[in-house]
Amino acid sequence: MVLRLLRTERLDVEIAYLPAGPTPATRAWGLPHGRAAAELAVAGTAGPVPLVRDDNGGVLVGRGEISPIVGECWCDQHLVLRGRGPRLVVVPTPDGIAVRAGRSRRPPDGTLRPLPPKIPSGRGSAVGRAVQIGGEPMTVVHDGVTHPRLVPRWTWFRHTEDLLLVRA
């Protein structure tokens, strides 16, 4: 739905999300599920949240993951990964896009832990406007959907317009 609104230039439409159970999107945005989600959809108000796009024409509303990864990842001017990493996790946040490289499956917490630019290898985390990843061919999982082919690079970036999401 969000992708269709983006493509038809209708981001002025308010969106409510009504999942039956918890999802990466409910966790990313602090949204309820089940009956509470339905009640929020009826009585809540929409507010702007960052809309995260990718360079393959998609949108990220909950969670992106690459596992394993060999390469580099930058979040704006911050180096987040160089070398091998068991996992790279990306989530949209009210502040932009949060990314963490490491072993944990937990979503990034928004902490800025960049790597020094000349370090030969390492893993960190950051929050920014764009996340760029390049390296050996990798599998990207995007809101629970695996991209159909291996890719040598991937970019998630904040769109110029926000999404109107019912959250309160």
Side-chain angles (χ1 to χ4, degrees):
M1 182 53 134
V2 174
L3 184 58
R4 184 163 306 273
L5 291 174
L6 173 67
R7 288 183 178 165
T8 58
E9 298 181 8
R10 292 299 320 264
L11 292 176
D12 57 326
V13 174
E14 297 177 355
I15 297 292
Y17 184 49
L18 292 97
T23 68
T26 61
R27 287 186 283 279
W29 296 112
L31 298 172
H33 51 84
R35 180 178 296 283
E39 291 169 2
L40 178 64
V42 172
T45 21
V49 297
L51 175 58
V52 177
R53 298 177 58 189
D54 66 52
D55 55 353
N56 281 286
V59 296
L60 180 69
V61 295
R63 177 187 174 105
E65 187 172 320
I66 299 170
S67 176
I69 181 168
V70 179
E72 273 192 3
C73 173
W74 289 82
C75 181
D76 296 344
Q77 73 273 19
H78 304 293
L79 179 61
V80 176
L81 171 78
R82 178 171 283 150
R84 292 186 178 278
R87 178 171 288 104
L88 186 80
V89 179
V90 177
V91 295
T93 71
D95 299 322
I97 306 168
V99 58
R100 176 199 327 247
R103 287 181 168 69
S104 174
R105 290 186 180 275
R106 289 180 305 131
D109 58 8
T111 305
L112 181 61
R113 288 187 295 273
L115 301 172
K118 294 186 180 188
I119 194 168
S121 66
R123 300 185 297 260
S125 63
V127 176
R129 188 187 174 286
V131 173
Q132 296 178 310
I133 306 137
E136 292 181 5
M138 60 193 104
T139 301
V140 177
V141 179
H142 190 273
D143 287 326
V145 178
T146 302
H147 190 67
R149 67 183 193 287
L150 296 174
V151 293
R153 65 191 149 274
W154 193 269
T155 302
W156 279 290
F157 58 95
R158 184 174 181 169
H159 186 58
T160 55
E161 288 182 67
D162 287 340
L163 179 66
L164 293 176
L165 182 63
V166 176
R167 291 179 55 199

